[in-house]
Structure formats: C-alpha cells, structure tokens
Amino acid sequence: MKTLSFLILILPFAASLAQDREGIEFVEAKIRPALSKYCYECHSQESGKSKGGLRVDSQNALFQGGDTGPAIVPGDLGSSLLITSIRYDDEDFEMPPKGKLPDSIIGDFEKWVAMGVPDPRQDSAPM
C-alpha cells in the first residue's frame, strides 16, 4: 500500500519534470537560436540595445516587456505582443523590421507561448 501511495504522489511530479525538460530542450533547439538570429541585435543586454524598452534575452525581460507592456503572456497567444508582432498582425509592431519570419519559426514561438514559456535563460543586470 505504501508503494502505491508513493507512486500516486511521485507520478505527477515525474510528469512535470519530463515536461520541463522537454520545454527546455525546445527552447534551446528552436527559440534561443531564433531570438539570437533575429532579435538580439536590437533587444538584448549584449547588444547594449533595448529598442522600445524591450529586451528578449531572458524570460523575466519578456514578461516585463517594453514600452507597450509585457511581450509574452504564458499560454495566451492573443495577449502576447511578441506573437502579434512576429505575425505582422499590427502594422505598428512588425518584427523583425527587415522582414517577416518564416511560418515555421512563427509556429515555434506560438508553441512556446502555448507551453507556458519554459525558459532556462537567467536574467542578467538590467540595462
């Protein structure tokens, strides 16, 4: 009976760890490379820029957002300005400005937000 009780308690935790690991692997494989390639030039501490008051180089920076509010709302595509801007749904917030991202990359960002925005990146000092 103790074994069954232990399994009932541990299984949700184990499932959560697997989801966390999967989310982190997804970020490292899909999201971080896209952010680095298309966004960090204008929105990162390393570049010394935070255009529109926005940095995208940490989860907290995305949650804090920029001049127009939070860039990402976990699980809510419609309220996530990052999604609106990369979809080119609002002509005032089309990012990146040099051209729309491929649909596959936009889909990766949509999946990431739907997953709850798992992100291993640690905050560094604010700019």
Side-chain angles (χ1 to χ4, degrees), residues 20-112:
D20 289 347
R21 188 183 76 246
E22 180 182 316
I24 299 305
E25 289 172 359
F26 181 79
V27 168
E28 295 299 346
K30 301 287 186 173
I31 301 304
R32 191 191 300 247
L35 288 170
S36 179
K37 182 174 182 177
Y38 299 106
C39 307
Y40 283 2
E41 180 181 340
C42 298
H43 300 282
S44 70
Q45 182 174 357
E46 184 177 313
S47 73
K49 298 178 187 175
S50 59
K51 291 190 177 182
L54 176 64
R55 281 186 30 227
V56 299
D57 50 358
S58 76
Q59 184 186 58
N60 286 338
L62 285 164
F63 289 163
Q64 181 180 354
D67 297 344
T68 57
I72 289 186
V73 178
D76 188 348
L77 296 174
S79 296
S80 296
L81 293 175
L82 179 76
I83 299 301
T84 300
S85 68
I86 65 173
R87 285 178 175 167
Y88 276 43
D89 286 346
D90 181 334
E91 64 183 35
D92 293 328
F93 297 105
E94 293 180 344
M95 292 292 148
K98 295 177 184 175
K100 189 174 179 182
L101 298 173
D103 289 341
S104 62
I105 293 175
I106 293 169
D108 290 338
F109 277 95
E110 292 169 341
K111 179 178 179 180
W112 183 46

